[in-house]
């Protein structure tokens, strides 16, 4: 007996979903949004979850594996979709401060980050004012040169900076003619804050230039009529009105310096807290020639990243508003 088939309805679930997506494009946008959020969540949150699993697992059981247990589902043993700790050892978060003075490493990173942020904000504010509010020949080329320098790999500056900071004689390039003998500043904050400031300043200059250029001239003129100087107008009028941009530059610089290790590992000749070694140097102290405390390294990583997480959560509104406002010009 023959049956009637509705030829207007696509056959197969994929064809039906495609037809509905064509009829209602919002379904596609929602699917892409959820896919992107799932990918972002897995790639960003799973490393922290894995660190937590390692931190809670006793170190003697970490190398044994077995982080993926099997669960009984309707009579069949299937692997659990996430790794779970092989034990419960929260004492690791206390032991990180007992075996190594980890708080001193955190203090070093915090001090370096704050010092660099202050220097970057002061200098980049002055440069942003010049680029954003003054008109002079070669402004666009000079701004382009600053941005181009920011893309240079940090490794390109290591050798000459190390020679200068180690107290060696500085000569004219490609000659043996001495210019001066530098002062040794290795294992001091100066050997790290100066390179950090130079590396992270171009981005702050670009952000603040964009913000300062949007402040109406009338506000600055009114301040100057009241008797203040250009410098006074910058710090009393322009910077307060550009608070989102200033906050964005400060937070981005602080986070970048707080997480930096490349220059710090070279300018601090040994990973000792007295040599201003940062957090990563402290984490590596849990590894010796014969043993590696994986759980302590994981716990120290979580403890070390907490200040940055708190800062981002508190200042996220400022960061987003600053970056988006700086990208638009009315």
């Amino acid at each position: 007996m023959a049956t009637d088939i509705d030829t207007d309805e696509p056959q197969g679930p994929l064809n039906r979903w495609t037809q509905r997506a064509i009829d209602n494009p919002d379904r596609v946008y929602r699917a892409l949004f959820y896919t992107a959020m799932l990918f972002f969540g897995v790639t960003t949150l799973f490393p922290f979850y894995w660190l937590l699993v390692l931190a809670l697992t006793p170190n003697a059981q970490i190398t044994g594996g077995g982080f993926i247990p099997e669960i009984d589902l309707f009579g069949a043993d299937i692997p659990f979709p996430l790794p779970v700790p092989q034990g419960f050892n929260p004492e690791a978060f206390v032991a990180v401060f007992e075996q190594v003075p980890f708080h001193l490493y955190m203090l070093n990173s915090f001090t370096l980050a704050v010092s660099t942020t202050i220097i970057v904000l002061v200098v980049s504010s002055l440069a942003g004012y010049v680029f954003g509010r003054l008109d002079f020949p070669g402004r666009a080329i000079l701004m382009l040169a600053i941005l181009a320098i920011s893309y240079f790999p940090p490794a390109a500056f290591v050798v000459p900076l190390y020679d200068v900071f180690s107290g060696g004689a500085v000569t004219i390039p490609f000659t043996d003619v001495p210019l001066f003998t530098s002062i040794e500043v290795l294992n001091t904050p100066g050997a790290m804050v100066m390179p950090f400031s130079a590396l992270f300043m171009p981005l702050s200059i670009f952000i603040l230039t964009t913000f300062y250029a949007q402040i109406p001239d009338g506000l600055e003129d009114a301040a100057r009529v009241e008797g203040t100087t250009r410098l006074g107008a910058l710090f009393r009028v322009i910077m307060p009105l550009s608070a989102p941009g200033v906050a964005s530059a400060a937070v981005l610089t602080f986070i970048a310096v707080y997480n930096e290790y490349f220059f710090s590992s070279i300018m601090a000749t040994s990973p000792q807290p007295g040599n201003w070694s940062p957090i990563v140097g402290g984490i590596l102290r849990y590894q010796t020639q014969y043993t590696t405390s994986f759980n302590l390294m994981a716990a120290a990583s979580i403890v070390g990243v907490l200040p940055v997480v708190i800062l981002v959560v508190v200042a996220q509104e400022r960061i987003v508003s600053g970056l988006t406002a700086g990208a638009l010009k009315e």
Side-chain angles (χ1 to χ4, degrees):
M1 180 178 179
T3 57
D4 296 334
I5 300 177
D6 187 3
T7 56
D8 295 336
E9 183 69 18
Q11 300 299 314
L14 180 59
N15 292 335
R16 287 194 293 272
W17 188 90
T18 304
Q19 183 61 44
R20 295 191 187 100
I22 295 174
D23 297 337
N24 186 9
D26 289 341
R27 294 170 59 89
V28 180
Y29 301 146
R30 283 198 297 270
L32 292 177
F33 172 77
Y34 290 132
T35 303
M37 291 302 299
L38 179 63
F39 176 79
F40 178 78
V42 171
T43 55
T44 57
L45 296 180
F46 182 78
F48 292 100
Y49 176 74
W50 178 240
L51 284 176
L52 183 62
V53 170
L54 293 179
L56 294 178
T57 302
N59 193 59
Q61 301 182 22
I62 287 181
T63 56
F67 292 98
I68 307 295
E70 291 186 345
I71 58 176
D72 186 4
L73 184 64
F74 303 111
D77 293 334
I78 62 173
F80 191 71
L82 288 175
V84 295
Q86 298 299 302
F88 185 69
N89 182 35
E91 292 81 7
F93 291 95
V94 179
V96 294
F97 296 100
E98 294 175 345
Q99 294 194 12
V100 171
F102 192 67
H103 59 287
L104 296 181
Y105 290 97
M106 294 184 65
L107 181 62
N108 289 344
S109 292
F110 185 81
T111 304
L112 294 174
V114 171
S115 303
T116 305
T117 302
I118 294 174
I119 295 174
V120 167
L121 281 185
V122 172
V123 178
S124 61
S125 292
L126 298 175
Y129 178 85
V130 173
F131 282 109
R133 305 195 64 81
L134 300 182
D135 190 13
F136 57 90
R139 181 180 61 175
I141 296 177
L142 187 57
M143 187 68 185
L144 182 63
I146 292 175
L147 293 178
I149 292 174
S150 67
Y151 288 101
F152 285 8
F157 306 104
V158 168
V159 174
L161 286 178
Y162 187 86
D163 287 340
V164 173
F165 293 159
S166 61
V170 179
T171 60
I172 298 176
F174 308 110
T175 67
D176 294 331
V177 179
L179 288 177
F180 61 90
T181 301
S182 61
I183 302 174
E184 182 176 356
V185 292
L186 293 178
N187 301 321
T188 65
M192 305 172 196
V193 171
M194 285 189 281
F196 295 161
S197 302
L199 288 174
F200 302 118
M201 192 171 295
L203 177 62
S204 297
I205 292 176
F206 178 73
I207 294 175
L208 295 181
T209 297
T210 306
F211 270 87
Y212 292 170
Q214 298 180 23
I215 302 299
D217 294 335
L219 295 177
E220 183 180 357
D221 295 339
R224 297 191 63 187
V225 168
E226 294 295 331
T228 186
T229 61
R230 283 188 179 274
L231 201 59
L234 170 62
F235 290 103
R236 295 175 181 173
V237 177
I238 297 175
M239 286 187 68
L241 293 176
S242 305
V246 177
S248 299
V251 172
L252 293 177
T253 302
F254 180 89
I255 294 174
V257 177
Y258 188 82
N259 296 326
E260 205 280 340
Y261 180 64
F262 176 72
F263 269 97
S264 305
S265 63
I266 297 174
M267 299 307 171
T269 54
S270 63
Q272 301 294 331
N275 293 341
W276 290 89
S277 183
I279 285 178
V280 181
I283 294 175
L284 295 178
R285 290 285 304 278
Y286 301 108
Q287 181 181 14
T288 64
Q289 183 177 3
Y290 303 104
T291 62
T292 301
S293 300
F294 295 106
N295 61 334
L296 296 185
M297 295 178 76
S301 300
I302 295 175
V303 173
V305 82
L306 285 180
V308 176
V309 173
I310 295 174
L311 177 63
V312 171
V313 171
V314 172
Q316 61 172 340
E317 185 177 354
R318 288 286 189 182
I319 297 174
V320 173
S321 63
L323 293 177
T324 54
L328 300 175
K329 185 175 182 179
E330 297 180 355

